Amino acid sequence: MLFIFFNSFLLLRYSQHKENILVVFFLLLLAMPGNLAGLVVSNCWEAALTGLAAIFFHHFILGKVRENYRIKKLYFATILLTAFCFLGVNFIHELIYLLLYVWALVWILVSFFLLWKTYKKTGSIEFKRLLNAFKGLLIAISSLLIAFLLGVLIYIISQRTGQFGIYAIQGSILIILLLVLLLTFLLGILWFFGAFTWSLLTGTELGVKIRSTMIYTIVGVVFVVFFGLLDYTLGELLQIWFGRFMGSEFIAGIPVTIGLL
């Protein structure tokens, strides 16, 4: 949430390109609605916002690569699909909202392919940095998709054998792979927000012009906050593990400092 609103502020305040407003919509829809406290909505509504966010992202990529495409038809198709899913929840099954997630996944992958194709065609450093800024998002989506397929496979095995039965080893391996994929998903999300925020601060490909003093101030504050949190946490862990002794905070600060550097 902090990354989302901070990046949205930077884009609204310092952006030089009008298509960047689409990224703001994309980021804000990522925060809606389940992450906002006190806001309870249906799964289908969350899926609808996810589908719309994917179209905003695709529209943004089209604007960057200067592709001529009738994007209004895509918005209209998304609205129709959303309406169909809302009606289908009452008459078919609630799982029909998965269509919107598939719709969103398809257009995000199409956007990445279009961006990669344009970079290979032009060799532009701008598109390379733009691709790197969103690469973490691609990793997160890919790992989540594979994790979903593994989860389905684990469910099928458990239904056939009770508790994996003779496939206990295979089932355990699948579960470990599933946990690895979920960890990869989290790392991909962190990569996305970190690389995207850095691309905004440096203004290399998104047309964001920020004074260097502000960049140094923001980066400095972030490093100080992270250093304080990590140093305090590691110091507390050392005291828990080895008993209370003098100098634990100083000892904790050494690996934290090296790690941040």
Side-chain angles (χ1 to χ4, degrees):
M1 293 291 287
L2 178 63
F3 274 112
I4 287 173
F5 289 114
F6 177 68
N7 289 335
S8 298
F9 166 75
L10 292 180
L11 285 168
L12 290 173
R13 177 67 178 82
Y14 299 103
S15 178
Q16 306 293 317
H17 297 161
K18 63 180 182 179
E19 67 267 16
N20 287 345
I21 189 66
L22 296 168
V23 183
V24 176
F25 293 150
F26 171 70
L27 291 173
L28 292 179
L29 286 181
L30 288 181
M32 291 286 288
N35 290 331
L36 295 182
L39 185 58
V40 180
V41 294
S42 66
N43 291 331
C44 191
W45 181 246
E46 289 189 23
L49 294 181
T50 302
L52 186 59
I55 303 306
F56 281 134
F57 181 76
H58 183 64
H59 191 180
F60 166 76
I61 296 299
L62 288 176
K64 283 297 181 183
V65 301
R66 302 295 187 266
E67 281 282 337
N68 293 323
Y69 187 82
R70 295 183 178 180
I71 194 68
K72 292 182 180 179
K73 291 185 177 181
L74 197 54
Y75 281 111
F76 184 68
T78 304
I79 294 173
L80 287 180
L81 181 61
T82 302
F84 172 75
C85 290
F86 270 111
L87 294 175
V89 167
N90 298 323
F91 297 101
I92 303 177
H93 194 277
E94 189 175 357
L95 289 179
I96 196 174
Y97 68 81
L98 290 176
L99 287 175
L100 287 167
Y101 285 115
V102 174
W103 177 260
L105 178 63
V106 167
W107 287 107
I108 287 180
L109 293 179
V110 168
S111 302
F112 275 109
F113 175 75
L114 183 61
L115 184 59
W116 175 82
K117 180 181 177 182
T118 306
Y119 163 64
K120 288 297 182 180
K121 181 179 179 180
T122 62
S124 172
I125 189 65
E126 176 183 356
F127 289 117
K128 180 180 180 180
R129 290 172 176 170
L130 189 64
L131 189 63
N132 183 65
F134 290 104
K135 191 179 294 183
L137 185 62
L138 178 62
I139 293 174
I141 292 175
S142 301
S143 60
L144 192 62
L145 179 60
I146 299 174
F148 174 77
L149 296 177
L150 272 181
V152 172
L153 183 60
I154 291 173
Y155 175 77
I156 294 174
I157 292 176
S158 64
Q159 290 296 310
R160 289 185 176 181
T161 63
Q163 294 181 348
F164 296 119
I166 61 174
Y167 300 101
I169 296 178
Q170 294 91 326
S172 301
I173 293 175
L174 289 176
I175 292 176
I176 292 174
L177 289 175
L178 181 62
L179 294 176
V180 171
L181 288 169
L182 293 178
L183 178 60
T184 306
F185 167 77
L186 294 176
L187 293 176
I189 292 294
L190 290 176
W191 181 347
F192 162 61
F193 282 124
F196 184 71
T197 304
W198 183 250
S199 67
L200 289 181
L201 292 177
T202 55
T204 51
E205 67 276 352
L206 290 173
V208 177
K209 303 297 182 181
I210 306 176
R211 293 189 303 271
S212 58
T213 52
M214 182 178 179
I215 296 175
Y216 298 146
T217 302
I218 293 173
V219 174
V221 169
V222 170
F223 266 77
V224 168
V225 171
F226 270 91
F227 177 83
L229 292 175
L230 293 175
D231 181 59
Y232 174 78
T233 303
L234 187 56
E236 289 295 315
L237 289 176
L238 287 175
Q239 290 192 358
I240 292 174
W241 293 338
F242 303 107
R244 296 191 172 274
F245 63 93
M246 298 297 295
S248 60
E249 290 81 4
F250 173 76
I251 295 176
I254 295 174
V256 171
T257 303
I258 295 175
L260 286 178
L261 289 175

